[in-house]
Amino acid sequence: MVQFGSLGLRNMLIKPPEKDDGFRFTPLVVVELALDTKEEAITWLLSRITDKQQNGGAELLVEQLSPGDLALEKHNPNMFLVGASWQRLLSGAEDVGFFKEFNDGSMRGFTCANKHNFKDFKGDGDGFLSMAECQYIIKHELDTLRAKEESHVPGYPKVKLYPGKSIIRRLQSKGILVQFFPLHEKEELKRLSFSWYKKVKLSFQPLDDIKHYYGEGLALYFGFLEYFTFALMPMAFIGVPYYLFDWEDYDKYVVFAVFNLVWCTVILEVWKRCSASLAYGWGTLSRKKAFEEPRPGFHGVLGFNPVTGREEPLYPNAKRQLRIYLVSVPFVLLSLYLSLYVMMIYFEMEGWALSIDNEEPTFWTGILVFIPSIIYAIVIEIMNLIYRYAAEFLTGWENHRLESSYQNHLVLKVLVFNFFNCFASLFYIAFVMQDMVLLRQSLATLLITSQILNQFMEAFLPYWLQRRRNKKMIRKAQKRRTLEDKELPLAEQVMLEADMSVYLGTFDDYLEQFLLFGYVSLFSCVYPLAAVLVVLNNVTEIYSDAFKMCRVFKRPFSDPAANIGVWQLAFEAMSVIAVVTNFALIGMSPQVKAYFPESDAQLILWTVAFEHVLLAFKFILTFVIPDVPKQIQIKLARLEFESLEALKKKKMLEATEFSKTFQ
């Protein structure tokens, strides 16, 4: 354990101020430094966090975590609880640009000067901000804590600093800062758990409560998951009778394919409107995007940012492009080739199994026919997982300056490989082998197997691992009831949450829904039960994801998102591919071929022509259906008009005062 020579100074720095108005320090965020962190670095960091804003500090409150009942255990003394006074949080809400409901019902940017005109602001504003918003403010203040004249972190001469460098990002990149995370609020979490997943009910999710506790980004994901599940209902209802009564009559699926095309276009356009309505009600639709700082892992030669004028690392874009096109792109192509090679092995196994079944059909050979598809589905999931790690490494190595650029390149790599890896075999069966029975069988096997594996990897395995960790911690603390069954002391709650798995964001969740959308929109006309299976998967997904968020993962920081971001573009790209795929399947049906008995060229031309017509209709529909509902457009326009009028009045007053000074 580290011994502190200036313990009195540290206690003075981290002691929350005593006030006569009954102020009580509320821990919001946990900051954990490495066990061997130098005393000088700890004292310096705490002083910067607690120092006044005018002195370059964050003006937050810090309290060292007392070990409590865990004093005899291996306890890291460098764990600190960070909070803030209520006035500091309100000024932070103005700094980050929160939008709140005004007394007239509109959503306006919060200002301390105008705080009493906001609908939910009562008294001194206690309860005006949710705990998630308070924690986001703390994170924002820590992220924007910058070095002044320090050349290095005290006690670490090799950890260089320069004026304007984010202190937290540098400590993270050097391993001095182990983690910082927001604390759960036990009572609120119990109420959310009960209304969200503890009782099985046919109703909508409590999206406002999810937003209140976890923030807009996560609430939008669950809103999309719920919307997508309900949007699949028509496909599921139509698919069941098609499956039951017209299973062998492939020609009848032409109607189902046409409906599929219209469906996948309309639901994405309607979702944009639903997303805009949710984002407006939550105050993120009009919120200006914060200026992005460099990623913690970004490195380069020290120079000046022409926008901010601050010193920061600069990295030549040409060098980054060389890394992308000379290394990353060839790696992606090589990965696609390996995926293709594995697919051909699968077809050899499939042919071998079918040949055995054709020679001597028995019950066991009937089961053997499905084994290659099951093995291939498992191999697909393993390859996707390995490629994901490789894609993350390569994207980090490309050294993107901004987190958004990093995410976009990572999403592109992962989407390209996952799309090819999951759907290449289906395209090959459909358009090269033209075996609709095998296509139906392969689609069903891939879909069912991938869903079982995803449920195991995403729900059961994390829960089992976390339950083992919790039992170990509780046993050591001589507690016999689980975390949810009783109120643990603060120190034990912090230690339990510190040991929980980190929620890595909605990337994998959106990716799973993207692939399921592909299974439904691309080939469900030959397997109408695909929509039914996806609905069942998503219903269990809602409950399992809710359970994970409440019981398995650390509480993530709020993400003030206004939409689902690049994933909207990904789903729309999939819907365009679905148009081409379904029209090709329609053109291959005997029912359509009967109209062109003598000319395959005419069949192809007519199929391509109708496909282009529907693509044109799809893009026209995109422009016809507004992304933002009319009433919200009016409210946004009115707010912009009032802002311009207020600016005019301010300029007129300034001009009047200026003229009076010279009279």
Side-chain angles (χ1 to χ4, degrees), residues 432-608:
V432 178
M433 299 174 64
Q434 298 188 14
D435 187 341
M436 297 305 151
V437 175
L438 181 58
L439 176 62
R440 188 183 308 145
Q441 173 191 313
S442 298
L443 176 59
T445 307
L446 287 174
L447 187 55
I448 294 171
T449 307
S450 65
Q451 288 178 351
I452 293 173
L453 290 174
N454 283 331
Q455 290 297 329
F456 175 80
M457 295 296 293
E458 293 183 9
F460 174 77
L461 187 61
Y463 170 69
W464 180 74
L465 293 174
Q466 185 59 40
R467 190 174 178 84
R468 285 191 62 190
R469 285 196 291 263
N470 285 356
K471 280 185 175 180
K472 184 178 178 182
M473 181 68 70
I474 291 170
R475 193 182 302 116
K476 285 183 178 180
Q478 297 180 346
K479 304 294 180 181
R480 298 196 177 276
R481 283 179 285 177
T482 61
L483 176 62
E484 188 153 330
D485 291 333
K486 74 171 293 183
E487 191 71 26
L488 290 174
L490 178 62
E492 294 178 21
Q493 179 189 339
V494 170
M495 295 299 291
L496 281 171
E497 292 186 27
D499 197 43
M500 285 181 169
S501 302
V502 177
Y503 180 64
L504 300 177
T506 55
F507 184 100
D508 289 321
D509 299 313
Y510 279 121
L511 178 61
E512 181 184 353
Q513 295 304 309
F514 171 79
L515 296 175
L516 292 176
F517 179 72
Y519 284 123
V520 173
S521 61
L522 295 176
F523 299 107
S524 65
C525 62
V526 296
Y527 185 61
L529 281 187
V532 178
L533 294 175
V534 174
V535 167
L536 295 175
N537 175 83
N538 282 4
V539 170
T540 59
E541 185 84 10
I542 289 172
Y543 284 97
S544 64
D545 283 354
F547 174 82
K548 286 189 300 181
M549 294 309 305
C550 295
R551 294 292 303 277
V552 176
F553 292 123
K554 289 185 182 76
R555 185 179 188 174
F557 281 105
S558 172
D559 174 25
N563 49 55
I564 64 174
V566 68
W567 292 103
Q568 179 74 38
L569 183 61
F571 278 91
E572 290 177 357
M574 180 69 83
S575 70
V576 172
I577 298 172
V579 172
V580 179
T581 302
N582 280 273
F583 261 101
L585 290 172
I586 290 171
M588 289 166 53
S589 69
Q591 188 181 28
V592 174
K593 285 183 176 180
Y595 289 98
F596 305 93
E598 298 179 356
S599 175
D600 289 339
Q602 281 190 344
L603 171 62
I604 294 172
L605 287 174
W606 277 103
T607 302
V608 172

